[in-house]
Amino acid sequence: MRMRPTLSWTPAEDLPAATTDLGPVADVLGTGGVLVLSGAGISTESGIPDYRGEGGSLSRHTPMTYQDFTAGDQARRRYWARSHLGRRTFGLARPNAGHQAVAAFGRHGLLSGVITQNVDGLHQAAGSEGVVELHGSLDRVRCLSCGVFSPRSELALRLEAANPGFDPVAAAINPDGDADLTDAQVGDFRVVPCTSCGGVLKPDVVFFGENVPPQRVEHCRALVREAAALLVLGSSLTVMSGLRFVRQAAQAGTPVLIVNRDPTRGDKHARTRVALPLGAALTAVADRLGIAVDGQAVA
């Protein structure tokens, strides 16, 4: 059963007050065994907007849902036109100081793992290893009929060939790599089928209204069980896919710390929420721990 997507929530008036004190975060990281759970907010400094923060994409854009994508050709044409264009800009994004700090914490043995809700691959580009992509990756494509996976770069070449001269100007790029285009700009964009069976191709990402694969959820639950603490970075925790791990940690008595400028749906479970920009905050924590954040991304 697929759940109706939750796109927003209303903060309760009795949420704990945020702080700017990074001491608790540095203390927890310094003892090691920390599991990171990151969201779209960690990528905003790389030029990728988040969903719900100030200027977030949900104020002007409704993400594609699984139900819409599978319902008909027109929705898929609109999605692939917008995503194909958005990929050109999305692909230029580079890791920022937040991603680099997380990678540095990992190199120094302070992390037990990294779970990301993002589909941009920037944690890996910064050098983090063993990242669990909770919502998948835009770098892969899957056929809904035969299940075959293929590289997104291969699909991009096929779409270029099928749509020569397609080069509209997008109003904005969204966290899922989707470009804001009008129906007129989408026009008669041609979608290409699976080369193996002729079936419908879908990015290997979890759309709103779609379930995260159960085995991936259980893997993440195991990481939470083994963690000494859970550090949430740049996520509003609005959707259950991430919030469930915060609830799991809190129920087990595992400390939860959140760095996010705005209130989150998990604040009541957190020991502290630090309301600071992530790049500066995590760099400052690294400085406190004597860890260099060198900014060298993996090609």
Side-chain angles (χ1 to χ4, degrees):
M1 178 179 178
R2 293 186 178 89
M3 299 170 56
R4 184 177 180 181
T6 300
L7 300 181
S8 62
W9 68 287
T10 301
E13 294 182 357
D14 59 349
L15 284 179
T19 181
T20 58
D21 180 13
L22 290 166
V25 177
D27 291 343
V28 166
L29 272 168
T31 62
V34 175
L35 176 63
V36 165
L37 171 63
S38 71
I42 199 169
S43 293
T44 57
E45 293 173 41
S46 294
I48 300 174
D50 63 10
Y51 285 108
R52 299 172 181 85
E54 184 178 352
S57 68
L58 288 183
S59 63
R60 53 175 167 74
H61 161 75
T62 299
M64 176 62 68
T65 66
Y66 182 85
Q67 291 77 9
D68 287 342
F69 186 85
T70 56
D73 293 340
Q74 182 56 39
R76 290 192 288 272
R77 180 183 298 113
R78 178 166 56 87
Y79 173 80
W80 280 119
R82 293 162 62 119
S83 184
H84 179 58
L85 181 65
R87 184 178 184 273
R88 299 174 186 172
T89 300
F90 202 78
L92 297 176
R94 294 293 179 264
N96 63 55
H99 300 109
Q100 292 156 0
V102 170
F105 299 147
R107 287 194 299 271
H108 283 76
L110 303 182
L111 304 183
S112 63
V114 177
I115 302 170
T116 185
Q117 296 172 284
N118 301 337
V119 296
D120 53 35
L122 292 180
H123 277 300
Q124 296 92 320
S128 289
E129 298 180 353
V131 178
V132 179
E133 296 173 312
L134 187 62
H135 295 155
S137 171
L138 282 175
D139 282 343
R140 300 183 298 270
V141 179
R142 179 172 63 91
C143 175
L144 293 182
S145 296
C146 69
V148 166
F149 289 88
S150 57
R152 180 65 180 272
S153 56
E154 178 184 292
L155 176 62
L157 292 175
R158 295 178 63 207
L159 290 174
E160 291 282 359
N163 299 278
F166 180 75
D167 194 25
V169 177
I173 305 296
N174 301 306
D176 53 4
D178 190 21
D180 279 349
L181 296 178
T182 65
D183 288 343
Q185 288 176 305
V186 170
D188 58 355
F189 185 88
R190 292 184 59 197
V191 175
V192 297
C194 172
T195 56
S196 296
C197 73
V200 171
L201 294 176
K202 174 184 174 293
D204 186 30
V205 299
V206 177
F207 283 162
F208 282 86
E210 184 179 8
N211 285 336
V212 177
Q215 65 274 22
R216 194 178 301 164
V217 173
E218 181 49 40
H219 177 45
C220 292
R221 287 196 181 279
L223 290 175
V224 175
R225 285 194 294 271
E226 296 163 2
L230 179 64
L231 176 61
V232 180
L233 303 175
S235 176
S236 67
L237 300 170
T238 296
V239 295
M240 188 55 65
S241 63
L243 179 63
R244 64 181 136 200
F245 303 125
V246 169
R247 289 178 173 175
Q248 177 190 346
Q251 289 169 1
T254 302
V256 175
L257 298 93
I258 299 174
V259 184
N260 196 66
R261 286 188 294 181
D262 298 316
T264 83
R265 199 176 170 193
D267 282 4
K268 67 181 180 181
H269 303 294
R271 175 180 294 184
T272 186
R273 176 173 67 85
V274 179
L276 288 172
L278 275 162
L282 295 181
T283 299
V285 169
D287 287 343
R288 289 191 183 204
L289 297 174
I291 295 174
V293 178
D294 57 20
Q296 296 298 312
V298 176

